[in-house]
Amino acid sequence: MKERTRGRLVVDWGHLALLTFISGVVLAYLLDARATSLKINNLLLVEPAAIIALIFVALVLPQCFRRVSEEKAAEPVRKETLSELGKVAALAAAFGAFVISLETVGFDVATFLFTAFGIYVCGERKLWLILLFSAIFTAVIVYGYQMLVPFPFPLRVL
Amino acid sequence: MLDLSAIGSALSILSSSYLAWVYLIPGLLIGLIFGAMPGISISMAMAIFLPVTLYMDFLPAVIFLTSIYTGAGFGGSVPAVLMNIPGTSSAVATTFDGYPMARQGKHSQALGLALAASVLGTLSSYVLLLFLIAPVSAVVLKMGPLEMFAIAIWGMMLLGALAGASIWRGLLAGVFGVLLGTVGMNTAGYIRGTMGIPWLLDGVPTIPAMMGLLAASQLLNLINTHYLIEDEADRKISFARIIEGLKLAFKYPTIIARGAGIGVIIGAIPGVGSSISNLISYAETRRNAPDGETFGKGNPKGVIAAEAANSSSEGGAMATMLALGIPGGGASAILLAAFAMHNIVGGPSFIGHNKDIVYAIIFSNFAQAVLLLFVGLGFVYAASAVVRVPLRFLIPTVLVVSTFGSYAIEGALSGPITLFVFAVIGWAMVRYNYPVAAVVVGLLLGRLLEANLLRTWQISRGDLGYALERPGAILIFGLMILSIGLTSYSRWRRKRAAAAAAASTMEIGS
């Protein structure tokens, strides 16, 4: 027993944040469903499933806390470096901006800008190649999907 | 069971005119290309080419459309293996082992396996259809909501198989998926969890959510990698390895037969179809395999199980459509539309009066399956080039293609927004070792589970004894329990044998 209490408590904050998000979504959904109606036709599956999900969250929660020895705690445990995580965040943010701006700035302009930025973030540094590839790719994808899909894609330039 | 005179006249119809054959290869190619494009579903590909069939005779028109169906059924597995994007919901289980195989440099084998399993699945499903079209249609008419619920539960059994390292994380992911799958208006008219967003009334758009969870999240994770396959030697596109994969599939006839059986039966049930059959076949194969723990890490059997089932679902769906005139999904609905365009009404009377045409369609599908082997080989060879594209170009372009695809499905920004939200959720879940595939399965089955549970509740008025009046449902539950029981028993026996072997070696050693 003495062995177990020794060492430092390490909290996996990212995992804890994910669990908080999942339980928040489940709880909000359960409350919304109950606010809609308490009839069995509404809650037959949702209520038991939400309660089970919250029980699973409680069972996973201890996995966010690990007790490790002092030497191990000093070692870096990160899977990625901060700059690698920054790249993921930059690409995800650009992707979000791309998705939201599609209809306002046009599919063509948004696609060109996102492709160019994405290629740059992913590591390509030759500017001419980035611009040329993005332009050709944008033209191919916009015209290709326009031919296949029955409804229009809002465009700005093409 | 077989009407020999009708078979004779079917063969003479097929041999009398070249028109019945001329559309086979174009149809397969169209299907392959469209099926491999994310966001273009089988039904969308068929819908695009439906107007063309107006100028064809009835039989060539149906053959052309079924060729697209067959081609697209396999086409969906190409992005599933190479990029973890299930082109259609029926290719979800293909990603589980196909993509890990590709990451290990076995993309050529994986595609060869998928192709052979698809061809064998399609062939065996049409052989079954040839003999079983009448009995299958009788069974389908007897399926009630409790039976459908039982089948959905069977699909959910996969969650245990997908759990990975932590069983609780796997189960949490699955239940979270089920809950997300029930968002929107349920069949009783209650609106929950929409946050006032109108497009969520119909529920979370499934295909964009799947693309986000499985593909876009992976792409975000790959940002610090240079190529899909790190080892340059493994990146080669090898025809010999594709053939190796093809041959490997023939070594597992039981998996293919099981997949084809599951595919035909589940595929015949309207509204369920190939999106569940591939999951059930995968789960059953994993449960029965001695190396079940390697599933999800690039086990070829997983690819065979999924592909055999999703391609054989076509035969099942055709059985329901031809025998009952009920479309099981989008693709068979378009076939029925083609029937209507030629003033032909599908259903029992069609089969009764036109057995020769039905047999001609079945025989033509045999030919389609065989041709798919050759056309598919060429296609797969060309498509494998994607592993040679540097990820710095592949990541943004695949994200853009997925976005266009999700817009094409929904016709509105709801698709791309769903894609983005689920990409971020998927990325976080992958980072903390949650099986995102479990969320996908839950999402696919959530609505089906709720709708059928609700219908069963309404019909039975809450009386549990109702289940005893449904022998079909009892049979399905019984089969499920039997399958789990047998697996546990064989696992227990294996463990005991291993323990005995270990004990005897220790004795010899001492």
Side-chain angles (χ1 to χ4, degrees), chain B residues 6 17 102 124 158 171 203 216 220 334 339 346 348 371 386 430 478 504:
Chain B
S17 166
S124 41
L158 182 62
L171 290 172
L220 293 178
I334 287 162
F339 273 49
L371 276 174
V386 85
V430 169
S504 65

Side-chain angles (χ1 to χ4, degrees), chain A residues 14-15 19 29 32 36 40-42 46 49 60 63 78-80 84 92 95 103 111 124 145 148 151 153, chain B residues 34 38 48 169 175 179 182-183 186 190-193 224 392 403-404 407-408 411 420 431-432 434 454 457:
Chain A
H15 191 189
L19 273 182
Y29 184 37
D32 188 47
T36 303
I40 200 141
N41 278 351
N42 181 35
V46 172
V60 177
Q63 295 175 10
R78 283 247 159 265
K79 282 188 224 160
E80 308 107 330
E84 283 169 345
F95 187 44
E103 286 188 338
T111 300
E124 181 57 61
Y145 267 88
L148 300 175
F151 31 78
F153 288 93
Chain B
F34 280 61
I48 290 167
R169 288 188 205 193
V175 180
L179 280 170
T182 60
V183 164
N186 77 350
Y190 294 101
I191 300 167
R192 306 81 44 100
N224 298 306
R392 58 183 186 277
T403 309
F404 271 72
Y407 190 86
F420 169 67
R431 191 172 149 79
Y432 296 106
Y434 285 80
L454 203 54
W457 178 269

Side-chain angles (χ1 to χ4, degrees), chain B residues 199-482:
Chain B
W199 49 264
L200 279 179
L201 277 176
D202 291 334
V204 173
T206 322
I207 297 187
M210 267 174 18
M211 289 199 253
L213 282 168
L214 290 170
S217 66
Q218 290 284 349
L219 291 169
L220 293 178
N221 263 329
L222 285 172
I223 195 167
N224 298 306
T225 318
H226 297 296
Y227 283 90
L228 217 48
I229 299 164
E230 283 290 354
D231 190 349
E232 201 185 335
D234 286 337
R235 233 176 279 148
K236 265 191 211 144
I237 304 160
S238 158
F239 200 72
R241 285 194 185 173
I242 298 176
I243 301 287
E244 199 181 290
L246 269 177
K247 283 188 195 156
L248 187 61
F250 285 88
K251 287 190 186 155
Y252 300 103
T254 349
I255 298 176
I256 291 177
R258 191 191 301 122
I262 291 173
V264 170
I265 295 165
I266 310 280
I269 303 165
V272 181
S274 55
S275 51
I276 293 191
S277 68
N278 73 107
L279 298 176
I280 293 181
S281 169
Y282 183 88
E284 285 304 307
T285 305
R286 184 189 199 270
R287 223 195 303 284
N288 289 304
D291 52 351
E293 69 286 353
T294 60
F295 273 58
K297 294 171 190 160
N299 192 321
K301 290 179 202 163
V303 179
I304 300 175
E307 280 301 306
N310 71 15
S311 56
S312 57
S313 302
E314 181 189 333
M318 290 288 282
T320 317
M321 194 211 81
L322 290 170
L324 304 174
I326 303 171
S332 42
I334 287 162
L335 275 171
L336 268 186
F339 273 49
M341 275 165 58
H342 291 85
N343 293 323
I344 289 170
V345 180
S349 65
F350 172 72
I351 280 217
H353 301 305
N354 301 290
K355 271 209 181 101
D356 50 347
I357 305 257
V358 172
Y359 283 129
I361 294 172
I362 291 174
F363 289 139
S364 151
N365 272 282
F366 288 155
Q368 283 170 26
V370 176
L371 276 174
L372 174 67
L373 187 65
F374 299 101
V375 180
L377 265 180
F379 182 76
V380 155
Y381 189 74
S384 309
V386 85
V387 297
R388 303 182 74 115
V389 180
L391 279 175
R392 58 183 186 277
F393 289 97
L394 199 64
I395 293 172
T397 48
V398 176
L399 282 175
V400 170
V401 172
S402 305
T403 309
F404 271 72
S406 58
Y407 190 86
I409 293 163
E410 299 297 321
L413 222 47
S414 54
I417 290 173
T418 310
L419 174 78
F420 169 67
V421 170
F422 280 87
V424 176
I425 295 176
W427 175 80
M429 292 186 94
V430 169
R431 191 172 149 79
Y432 296 106
N433 294 322
Y434 285 80
V436 278
V439 187
V440 172
V441 173
L443 199 62
L444 274 176
L445 299 182
R447 194 154 279 258
L448 193 77
L449 273 172
E450 189 183 24
N452 287 301
L453 185 63
L454 203 54
R455 255 176 243 142
T456 310
W457 178 269
Q458 286 162 345
I459 293 170
S460 67
R461 293 167 198 266
D463 177 18
L464 289 174
Y466 170 75
L468 298 173
E469 297 164 24
R470 306 292 308 180
I474 293 174
L475 182 74
I476 297 169
F477 277 122
L479 279 175
M480 215 154 63
I481 292 166
L482 185 75

Side-chain angles (χ1 to χ4, degrees), chain A residues 87-109:
Chain A
K87 270 167 128 187
V88 175
L91 188 68
F95 187 44
F98 163 63
V99 159
I100 293 164
S101 65
L102 277 170
E103 286 188 338
T104 41
V105 302
F107 273 66
D108 45 0
V109 176

